[in-house]
């Protein structure tokens, strides 16, 4: 009886749109491709002998920093729903392009797209996914989103080396295709969950 009541309570807890949105955003910030791009960029540019591979992650992180600072202003101008929906869509397309350029072994173009990726990621997505869950749920509920985010982080850290090792030429295009697919699914989830909550919050202000 107690077990049944616990299951019912958990079901009611996680069927709440705000709790579901917090869980979704916790996983999205790991499966958007940002962390892996910073790691893989150095490997990509190492194929270009004329360029110092150690510089690339620095440049990409610098772009991310500048875009993130711009995001502080942007998040105050546009709704959270619009920001996360547009940035998820754009980042999904860019991940797809990065994957194709990786197959074609075009390292310079690949790095250019990785650099462009950081702009909507830092200015749009990150300005929402890191702060918004704490606005939606109390701290006791936020721990579940944090736990899911850590699981996603561990997956992105541990799985790619094995995937790359299994692909001829040690290419990473399957990983970028996965990120593109996940972001495509996330667009539908954003439209169902994030956008309605964002509009509701705007009307209440």
């Amino acid at each position: 009886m107690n077990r049944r009541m616990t299951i019912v309570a958990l079901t009611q807890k996680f069927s709440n749109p705000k709790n579901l949105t917090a869980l979704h955003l916790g996983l999205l910030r790991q499966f958007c491709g940002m962390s892996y791009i910073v790691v893989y960029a150095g490997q990509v540019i190492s194929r270009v002998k004329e360029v110092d591979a150690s510089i690339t992650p620095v440049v990409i992180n610098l772009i991310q920093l500048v875009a993130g600072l711009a995001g502080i202003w942007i998040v105050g101008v546009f709704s959270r729903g619009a920001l996360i929906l547009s940035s998820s869509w754009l980042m999904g397309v860019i991940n797809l392009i990065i994957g194709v350029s990786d197959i074609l072994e075009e390292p310079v173009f690949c790095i250019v797209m990785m650099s462009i990726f950081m702009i909507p990621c830092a200015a749009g997505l990150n300005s929402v996914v890191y702060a918004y869950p704490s606005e939606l749920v109390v701290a006791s509920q936020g721990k579940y989103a944090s736990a899911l985010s850590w699981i996603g982080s561990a997956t992105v850290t541990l799985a790619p080396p094995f995937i790359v090792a299994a692909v001829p030429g040690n290419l990473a295009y399957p990983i970028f295709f996965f990120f593109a697919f996940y972001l495509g699914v996330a667009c539908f989830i954003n439209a169902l969950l994030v956008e309605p909550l964002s509009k509701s919050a705007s009307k209440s202000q």
Side-chain angles (χ1 to χ4, degrees):
M1 184 66 177
N2 289 335
R3 178 179 294 182
R4 184 177 179 182
M5 291 177 64
T6 301
I7 293 173
V8 171
L10 286 172
T11 302
Q12 291 175 342
K13 181 186 297 183
F14 291 116
S15 62
N16 183 300
K18 291 185 176 181
N19 289 333
L20 287 174
T21 301
L23 291 172
H24 162 62
L25 296 181
L27 197 58
L28 178 59
R29 67 191 186 200
Q30 302 301 337
F31 285 167
C32 67
M34 177 190 69
S35 300
Y36 187 68
I37 281 177
V38 175
V39 173
Y40 191 61
Q43 299 177 37
V44 172
I45 205 63
S46 65
R47 302 171 195 164
V48 184
K49 296 180 180 179
E50 297 80 6
V51 181
D52 184 359
S54 63
I55 297 298
T56 307
V58 176
V59 173
I60 287 180
N61 276 310
L62 185 60
I63 294 171
Q64 183 181 11
L65 174 62
V66 174
L69 292 174
I72 297 173
W73 171 78
I74 291 172
V75 76
V77 176
F78 300 97
S79 73
R80 287 162 174 77
L83 273 177
I84 197 169
L85 190 59
S86 58
S87 59
S88 295
W89 180 85
L90 186 55
M91 290 160 60
V93 172
I94 296 174
N95 264 306
L96 190 62
I97 295 172
I98 292 172
V100 172
S101 64
D102 198 40
I103 293 174
L104 299 176
E105 298 190 31
E106 295 288 343
V108 175
F109 182 72
C110 193
I111 289 298
V112 169
M113 296 310 300
M114 288 178 173
S115 301
I116 294 173
F117 172 92
M118 286 300 171
I119 298 173
C121 180
L125 188 78
N126 284 356
S127 61
V128 177
V129 297
Y130 282 93
Y132 196 34
S134 63
E135 299 177 22
L136 293 173
V137 297
V138 296
S140 61
Q141 301 300 316
K143 63 186 178 183
Y144 299 108
S146 297
L148 196 59
S149 181
W150 278 109
I151 293 171
S153 178
T155 303
V156 171
T157 301
L158 297 173
F162 295 99
I163 296 172
V164 171
V167 176
N170 291 331
L171 301 177
Y173 61 87
I175 299 170
F176 292 108
F177 288 161
F178 166 76
F179 290 143
F181 172 77
Y182 189 86
L183 283 162
V185 173
C187 285
F188 289 100
I189 300 175
N190 294 337
L192 289 172
L193 292 175
V194 183
E195 182 67 12
L197 287 174
S198 178
K199 289 181 177 179
S200 176
S202 298
K203 290 179 181 179
S204 64
Q205 290 178 351

